[in-house]
Amino acid sequence: MARMASKRFTFFLAMAMATTLSGCVVEGGGGHGHVDPPPPPPPAPSYPGCPALQGPGNSGVISLNDWRGHDASIESYIAPHFFIRHYEGQEVAASLIYSGRDMDEATFRIVPGLADDRCISFEALDYDGYFLRHRGSDIFLDPDNNTLGFSEDATFCPRPGLADPNELSFESCNVPDSYLNIDDYDGRTYGLYLDSEYSAAFEEDATFLLMPPL
């Protein structure tokens, strides 16, 4: 009888220890069973806008609201009857030959700037999604690749004309104080470039007239 009581006592003691240990695994363990949720990702950096519009550069921008969404031809101020046009992917300011193709090549849609809608971008009339953009000092007609670098290269901020405040000059979004300008006349065409100079001749070369399509 005493032996049975001893066995019962041992059995109940073992059960009590098992229950206690089990509770320790589930509820204790020094917090090792708890996993904190991952921290939220940092907010995406906001784009401050074209470098050309930072600080005092924000003043003096011409919105061209009446032109946005519309087609235009861009005539040289210093070389009348010479218009910005594309030719096999590169931009030139060329003496226009009045054919249907040449008139299309000298027509651009004025759209909100790809990088900053306070400025504008020039989309080719006959090549949807292709924009006038700079690659260094040279100007090309390239397809939008949806990168910030391209968007900035293809965005220009209209300013009062350097040679005539009643006309327009187009400052680069990401190269402040650099403007579209014509140069290198070969007897038939001018080249179109992005440069920064301080002379009366450069100011004339960097001034343009915006007009309805030819």
Side-chain angles (χ1 to χ4, degrees), residues 71 86 91 104-105 107-109 122-132 141:
D71 301 336
H86 69 81
E91 292 300 317
D104 285 346
E105 290 174 349
T107 302
F108 295 86
R109 180 162 291 114
F122 300 98
E123 184 178 12
L125 175 68
D126 51 350
Y127 286 90
D128 288 343
Y130 280 66
F131 293 85
L132 186 159
L141 186 75

Side-chain angles (χ1 to χ4, degrees), residues 1-12:
M1 191 71 167
R3 186 176 299 172
M4 291 182 61
S6 176
K7 288 182 176 180
R8 288 177 181 174
F9 176 78
T10 302
F11 172 77
F12 287 121

Side-chain angles (χ1 to χ4, degrees), residues 5 7 9 14 27 42 56 60 72 78 84 87 91 105 108 112 126 142 164 178-179 188-189 203 211:
K7 288 182 176 180
F9 176 78
E27 299 179 7
I78 192 61
I84 293 177
Y87 178 72
E91 292 300 317
E105 290 174 349
F108 295 86
D126 51 350
D142 285 338
D164 183 339
S178 292
Y179 294 84
R188 187 179 63 88
T189 66
E203 291 177 352
M211 60 180 58

Side-chain angles (χ1 to χ4, degrees), residues 66-147:
D66 292 342
W67 284 97
R68 293 177 182 233
H70 298 284
D71 301 336
S73 293
I74 309 156
E75 185 180 16
S76 167
Y77 170 83
I78 192 61
H81 309 301
F82 283 72
F83 296 81
I84 293 177
R85 62 172 283 197
H86 69 81
Y87 178 72
E88 295 182 352
Q90 186 161 351
E91 292 300 317
V92 296
S95 179
L96 203 62
I97 300 171
Y98 287 95
S99 69
R101 176 179 177 181
D102 288 327
M103 285 188 284
D104 285 346
E105 290 174 349
T107 302
F108 295 86
R109 180 162 291 114
I110 307 299
V111 300
L114 298 182
D116 190 322
D117 62 9
R118 292 173 292 178
C119 300
I120 62 169
S121 293
F122 300 98
E123 184 178 12
L125 175 68
D126 51 350
Y127 286 90
D128 288 343
Y130 280 66
F131 293 85
L132 186 159
R133 57 85 61 98
H134 75 86
R135 288 192 234 148
S137 296
D138 295 321
I139 305 298
F140 292 87
L141 186 75
D142 285 338
D144 184 5
N145 63 14
N146 296 311
T147 64

